[in-house]
Amino acid sequence: MGEAVELEAGGRTVRLSNPGKVFFPERGFTKLDLAKYYIAVGPGILRALRDRPTTLERYPDGVTGEWFYQKRAPKSMPDWIPTAHITFPSGRSADEMCPTEEAAVLWAAQYGTLTFHPWPVRRDDVDHPDELRIDLDPQPGTDFDDAVRAAHELRSVLDEFGGLRGWPKTSGGRGLHVFVPIEPRWTFTQVRRAAIAVGRELERRMPEQVTIKWWKEERGERVFVDYNQTARDRTIASAYSVRARPHAPVSAPLTWDEVGVAHPKDFDLVTMPARFAELGDVHADMDDHRFTLDALLDLADKDEHEHGLGDLPYPPDHPKMPGEPKRVQPSRARHAD
């Protein structure tokens, strides 16, 4: 696997052990290839992670080995990487790393981190999200092209309700993510309510193509708007994160002109550095904007008061929430009746 090497990122040196360890056997990519990738896209991924509590998706022996999520900052973490104290739905809490330098990403890669999962908050205010994140998840029988069609309609919905602007990216798989920077004035519960309003409006416009149904048995061959990705402690892979699939794809920031032209397989450990060198971070201006959720929350109120559309089920690891419907799939509920 070779002797350890020292790499530089953002003016800081990080030691990389076992640089020749193969992380992606299908393509022969090593731990050193992964580290060099994160150096190449360093300014971009730091923009996506800066000051955010971040969960690490670690594969110490590569994509064919065992893996785990690391939420708590390890004791071995350097003191130049700050942390934030966060509270989980269970009531437990932890200190999570909050990257402020490109070298923090390189340090995480040293420990086999492929994918970074940042919270939609900053470390100075961990209870008020500053991003509304919409996850367009193609269900069995649908594909990326279906997510593209939903994304373009989503763009119209966002514009019509508050003049919101979203920044799209590939998930690294079959789906699309659209992030909207928002003022950090609302709680996780309120931001989730806004996401539900977006999903319902999109479903009304594309009933045969889009669903917001939580239970898989009800979704059919449609694109699922995963509103629960906005619940506390639910995160989405960051832009530029490498995904744990054999061909080493990455989550690629896109311009809207590229949505429908680009394909997820266009972006991987090799192609993204070349793209970044040519174009830079196409989402670089995202932090220059902050939008309001007022119009979407008004839409949520209208859905509830005029159409009887209240809350939707939370993820199973969340405590029962006020106003939440029964957390049981419809087929089991009918059987019980």
Side-chain angles (χ1 to χ4, degrees):
M1 297 181 188
E3 296 183 1
V5 298
E6 291 188 341
L7 301 174
E8 190 271 336
R12 196 181 290 276
T13 300
V14 176
R15 182 178 182 273
L16 193 77
S17 63
N18 300 321
K21 179 183 284 188
V22 176
F23 272 20
F24 292 89
E26 184 174 292
R27 302 189 66 184
F29 295 147
T30 65
K31 184 178 182 180
L32 181 59
D33 293 323
L34 175 70
K36 287 183 174 179
Y37 165 79
Y38 278 127
I39 293 173
V41 301
I45 192 166
L46 180 61
R47 189 268 312 156
L49 300 178
R50 189 189 299 276
D51 285 322
R52 298 189 183 281
T54 300
T55 298
L56 308 179
E57 187 178 336
R58 291 179 54 191
Y59 293 77
D61 295 312
V63 295
T64 58
E66 295 184 0
W67 66 278
F68 58 95
Y69 289 112
Q70 179 152 2
K71 296 186 176 184
R72 289 171 171 78
K75 293 181 180 179
S76 60
M77 192 174 73
D79 58 11
W80 49 266
I81 301 178
T83 62
H85 193 72
I86 57 170
T87 302
F88 303 117
S90 65
R92 294 183 298 173
S93 62
D95 293 322
E96 282 202 354
M97 71 174 292
C98 299
T100 57
E101 303 180 35
E102 294 172 31
V105 177
L106 188 57
W107 173 85
Q110 148 65 14
Y111 290 94
T113 301
L114 297 188
T115 309
F116 295 82
H117 296 267
W119 282 49
V121 300
R122 308 281 180 167
R123 62 189 173 109
D124 61 350
D125 185 355
V126 296
D127 293 317
H128 296 90
D130 68 346
E131 287 180 348
L132 169 66
R133 299 173 173 179
I134 308 298
D135 181 4
L136 300 175
D137 183 11
Q139 299 301 289
T142 64
D143 57 21
F144 182 74
D145 291 337
D146 296 296
V148 164
R149 285 186 281 272
H152 282 296
E153 189 61 40
L154 169 63
R155 187 184 186 188
S156 298
V157 170
L158 293 173
D159 182 61
E160 290 175 31
F161 289 91
L164 307 183
R165 175 185 168 193
W167 278 255
K169 69 182 185 70
T170 66
S171 67
R174 301 190 312 141
L176 273 167
H177 302 150
V178 178
F179 286 10
V180 180
I182 59 174
E183 299 172 5
R185 295 197 288 118
W186 295 275
T187 63
F188 279 93
T189 302
Q190 291 170 312
V191 174
R192 178 179 174 275
R193 182 174 172 84
I196 291 174
V198 168
R200 282 176 168 152
E201 180 64 22
L202 195 58
E203 185 181 54
R204 280 190 285 266
R205 298 183 184 200
M206 305 179 70
E208 301 301 318
Q209 294 83 36
V210 171
T211 182
I212 199 170
K213 299 290 187 183
W214 174 246
W215 303 107
K216 290 183 179 180
E217 65 185 29
E218 295 187 304
R219 294 176 191 171
E221 295 184 359
R222 292 179 286 185
V223 174
F224 171 50
V225 181
D226 191 353
Y227 62 89
N228 268 332
Q229 291 292 52
T230 53
R232 178 182 287 272
D233 194 33
R234 299 291 271 223
T235 56
I236 293 177
S238 78
Y240 301 102
S241 274
V242 179
R243 308 312 306 270
R245 294 179 174 85
H247 59 291
V250 304
S251 178
L254 303 175
T255 66
W256 278 108
D257 288 342
E258 293 177 304
V259 177
V261 178
H263 191 274
K265 288 187 177 180
D266 296 337
F267 310 104
D268 61 27
L269 210 64
V270 172
T271 61
M272 180 54 80
R275 171 184 168 88
F276 194 89
E278 178 184 359
L279 301 178
D281 180 14
V282 298
H283 286 188
D285 65 331
M286 190 172 168
D287 286 341
D288 297 335
H289 302 267
R290 284 289 177 266
F291 296 97
T292 175
L293 293 179
D294 291 340
L296 285 178
L297 292 174
D298 287 344
L299 176 62
D301 288 341
K302 181 178 179 181
D303 282 342
E304 182 172 6
H305 298 137
E306 296 185 13
H307 305 293
L309 300 174
D311 203 356
L312 293 172
Y314 272 79
D317 58 336
H318 278 242
K320 184 70 175 178
M321 298 293 286
E324 181 188 358
K326 289 183 178 180
R327 203 179 293 179
V328 58
Q329 61 192 64
S331 61
R332 290 188 177 182
R334 288 192 296 269
H335 181 72
D337 292 341

